[in-house]
Amino acid sequence: MSLTALISVSDKTGIVDFARELHQLGVRLLSTGGTAKLLEDAGLPVTEVAAHTGFPEMLDGRVKTLHPKIHGGLLARRDVPAHMAALAAHGIATIDILAVNLYPFEATVAKPGCTLEDAIENIDIGGPAMVRSAAKNWQDVTVLTDAGQYAGVLAELKASGKTSDATRMACSVAAFNRIAQYDAAISNYLSARAADGSQAEFPAQMNATFVKVQDLRYGENSHQRAALYRDLYPAPGSLVTATQLQGKELSYNNLADADAAWECVKSFEAPACVIIKHANPCGVAVGAGPAEAYAKAFQTDPTSAFGGIIAFNRELDGAAAQAVAKQFVEVLIAPSYTAEARAAFAGKANVRLLQIDMPSVTTAAGAAGGAARPWDQGRNAQDSKRIGSGLLLQTADNHFLTRAELKVVTRLQPTPQQLDDLMFAWTVAQYVKSNAIVYCAGGMTLGVGAGQMSRIDSARIASIKAEHAGLSLKGSAVASDAFFPFRDGLDVVVDGGASCVIQPGGSMRDDEVIAAADERGIAMVFTGVRHFRH
């Protein structure tokens, strides 16, 4: 076949084998710099671009493919006689296959200590220009920007001597997507930096890149359309990396609730279970194993647990699976499942089983009870929320409290057991919608008040839910995600049975609330940080 391929890649994965197969098919090889040398060393006949254009590389390689013989060969439409006549008049040969991947800008700026100069030197100019030219002329040129595309293209060339329209179009779309991603990364980096090297936390222009995973049946409500997208490079241990082992297609609400469940459960080192309903934990517990953790979590609010999302941070075994299978569950999440656990749900075709690898964990120094937290592992570094024609962007709430940060503000000191309960309650409260009040004891939630306009109402609701579940709040620990603005909220939780309270502090009436705690004979600690979750 009389085709010409231009190969110029930074990531040389599989390129020698690809070029060798092209050569065996009779494809003429053009190449540049290090790629050309690699192909020559492999014994392949390759023409340097400089020899092809008659113009040497210059400016340390910055100018080598920016030439009419390159871009004319890529852009000329074979079905337009004037184009082909122009090529003939100027001695320009067509280029039919372009294999290019770009200077590793993203990898460079991700390295610690990367300087502005390093970043600038890794901005590719000729590569994106060629890719755009080839992608624009997709009807005649096959453009490859990823090593994963090589095998499919070779298969088509071997079968028919050419690539299909569908393949060329798909490669063109992938190429334009890659250029968009590349330019977005450059824009984000440079928009946050000044000429002196100083860096802003938030860039002057924010370019987000997401890849569609799937269309969803509908959004929050049946009249809304929806789709799931993931980050271009999703963090290990995040929901979008899940493998669905069985069950119906996930819905918009399933995914939102599953994310809340997974983020909460992976905050615990001990075997834990989290049950989520409408984005709020309705039961959270730790235990000796998954079965005990589930049994305790279910006790908190069996009514709300119906149709909930349940997550575990340990392999789900048969005993736990059999217990969960007795209730109606929408989605079940775990790092892995035993054969017995899979069998327990084999007859429940609608139950969605998700498997997600637990992220690597580092322990925050002094974390409560040795609690290891996923420190920036599988978590977003930033959170965003759309508002009318705008975007709110913030660093994510990834602050995990250590005991060293606690400040005891009452005369009564918390006991070691109370400290354990307080730290557990505080971890749960971080995942409850504001205003959040959480009663806990013995490694389990007892009552949860969420999403109320008044903190005192959340406190009352948490007590009511515990009463309905038949759980005693006597001696319990209470977490409040933000400060008590008045003593009345504190009085409600103490009346409910609380023996100790954890809260951020920072109210104008802290002294009044502390005095109330001393008056009621409870221990109270301040964290100095709040966890609003709207």
Side-chain angles (χ1 to χ4, degrees):
M1 61 183 69
S2 56
L3 300 177
T4 297
L6 171 53
I7 303 174
S8 180
V9 293
S10 293
D11 178 0
K12 296 177 173 53
T13 302
I15 200 62
V16 171
D17 291 337
F18 178 60
R20 182 176 289 112
E21 296 259 21
L22 290 177
H23 171 60
Q24 290 171 355
L25 290 169
V27 178
R28 178 188 177 217
L29 303 179
L30 299 178
S31 192
T32 63
T35 307
K37 184 176 187 308
L38 181 68
L39 300 183
E40 287 173 355
D41 290 346
L44 293 171
V46 59
T47 301
E48 275 266 11
V49 162
H52 176 73
T53 63
F55 198 92
E57 289 189 14
M58 59 185 298
L59 306 182
D60 299 319
R62 289 188 175 197
V63 177
K64 52 189 173 185
T65 58
L66 297 171
H67 192 281
K69 283 197 171 182
I70 300 299
H71 289 273
L74 292 170
L75 281 166
R77 287 181 54 178
R78 281 50 159 179
D79 62 341
V80 177
H83 283 202
M84 300 310 292
L87 293 193
H90 296 283
I92 297 175
T94 57
I95 298 173
D96 309 286
I97 299 169
L98 177 72
V100 168
N101 53 57
L102 310 177
Y103 291 176
F105 179 84
E106 296 100 327
T108 298
V109 298
K111 295 176 182 176
C114 173
T115 65
L116 181 59
E117 182 180 2
D118 291 336
I120 296 295
E121 282 303 310
N122 278 277
I123 295 176
D124 203 332
I125 303 299
M130 287 191 293
V131 168
R132 290 177 67 89
S133 292
K136 178 174 180 174
N137 198 22
W138 67 271
Q139 290 177 312
D140 297 309
V141 181
T142 306
V143 55
L144 307 175
T145 51
D146 186 272
Q149 299 168 316
Y150 300 163
V153 165
L154 286 171
E156 289 192 8
L157 290 174
K158 289 175 182 178
S160 63
K162 63 180 181 178
T163 54
S164 66
D165 290 351
T167 292
R168 290 194 306 277
M169 180 62 178
C171 287
S172 172
V173 172
F176 280 120
N177 286 343
R178 176 61 188 129
I179 296 302
Q181 295 157 4
Y182 195 71
D183 286 343
I186 295 168
S187 173
N188 286 344
Y189 179 86
L190 295 179
S191 292
R193 279 156 182 80
D196 63 3
S198 59
Q199 178 178 347
E201 188 165 15
F202 300 101
Q205 177 168 311
M206 182 64 190
N207 305 278
T209 302
F210 297 95
V211 178
K212 189 163 83 169
V213 176
Q214 66 187 81
D215 289 312
L216 303 176
R217 287 178 296 157
Y218 51 81
E220 281 186 290
N221 302 290
S222 58
H223 62 277
Q224 295 173 268
R225 295 181 298 279
L228 170 65
Y229 289 77
R230 63 165 174 80
D231 283 322
L232 182 60
Y233 305 109
S238 55
L239 178 67
V240 294
T241 66
T243 299
Q244 184 168 350
L245 303 179
Q246 75 161 55
K248 296 189 299 184
E249 179 183 331
L250 290 159
S251 72
Y252 182 100
N253 293 329
N254 289 156
L255 288 162
D257 287 347
D259 185 60
W262 184 242
E263 290 301 304
C264 184
V265 81
K266 68 185 184 182
S267 296
F268 297 96
E269 181 184 25
C273 174
V274 173
I275 307 174
I276 293 285
K277 194 68 173 288
H278 294 298
N280 276 302
C282 61
V284 180
V286 295
E292 182 185 350
Y294 167 72
K296 291 165 69 176
F298 185 75
Q299 288 182 63
T300 304
D301 192 349
T303 301
S304 297
F306 181 84
I309 309 306
I310 303 178
F312 295 87
N313 65 353
R314 291 291 193 279
E315 180 175 68
L316 190 66
D317 56 27
Q322 289 169 13
V324 174
K326 294 176 182 177
Q327 75 161 99
F328 171 46
V329 55
E330 289 272 7
V331 182
L332 193 57
I333 310 170
S336 57
Y337 298 80
T338 65
E340 292 80 6
R342 290 292 303 275
F345 289 96
K348 296 178 178 289
N350 289 337
V351 177
R352 301 136 171 114
L353 298 188
L354 299 185
Q355 182 168 307
I356 312 177
D357 293 337
M358 283 292 291
S360 58
V361 172
T362 56
T363 303
R373 313 292 195 184
W375 204 258
D376 293 332
Q377 294 293 322
R379 295 182 182 273
N380 295 327
Q382 295 178 325
D383 285 336
S384 62
K385 180 180 293 187
R386 286 302 305 265
I387 58 174
S389 297
L391 180 75
L392 291 172
L393 191 65
Q394 64 175 350
T395 57
D397 184 9
N398 289 336
H399 180 277
F400 296 100
L401 189 70
T402 66
R403 291 195 181 187
E405 296 174 82
L406 296 180
K407 179 183 179 183
V408 180
V409 294
T410 50
R411 290 192 295 269
L412 188 64
Q413 298 284 312
T415 66
Q417 180 59 55
Q418 286 177 325
L419 281 173
D420 287 344
D421 290 339
L422 288 168
M423 294 297 290
F424 179 87
W426 184 253
T427 299
V428 175
Q430 182 174 352
Y431 300 96
V432 178
K433 299 289 187 180
S434 300
N435 288 306
I437 295 290
V438 181
Y439 286 88
C440 297
M444 65 176 284
T445 49
L446 301 173
V448 179
Q452 299 304 302
M453 291 71 77
S454 165
R455 188 162 302 279
I456 195 169
D457 285 341
S458 286
R460 289 169 177 150
I461 289 170
S463 296
I464 292 169
K465 293 184 79 67
E467 182 181 356
H468 285 176
L471 298 174
S472 171
L473 298 179
K474 185 177 181 181
S476 61
V478 166
S480 173
D481 66 338
F483 60 65
F484 288 101
F486 304 97
R487 70 166 289 168
D488 54 1
L490 183 81
D491 285 327
V492 167
V493 300
V494 177
D495 289 343
S499 66
C500 53
V501 169
I502 184 169
Q503 60 133 319
S507 168
M508 293 176 61
R509 295 181 176 84
D510 274 349
D511 290 343
E512 174 187 326
V513 177
I514 293 169
D518 284 333
E519 176 189 320
R520 301 299 301 269
I522 68 163
M524 185 163 66
V525 298
F526 282 1
T527 65
V529 62
R530 75 181 186 197
H531 283 306
F532 273 166
R533 191 176 184 86
H534 291 119

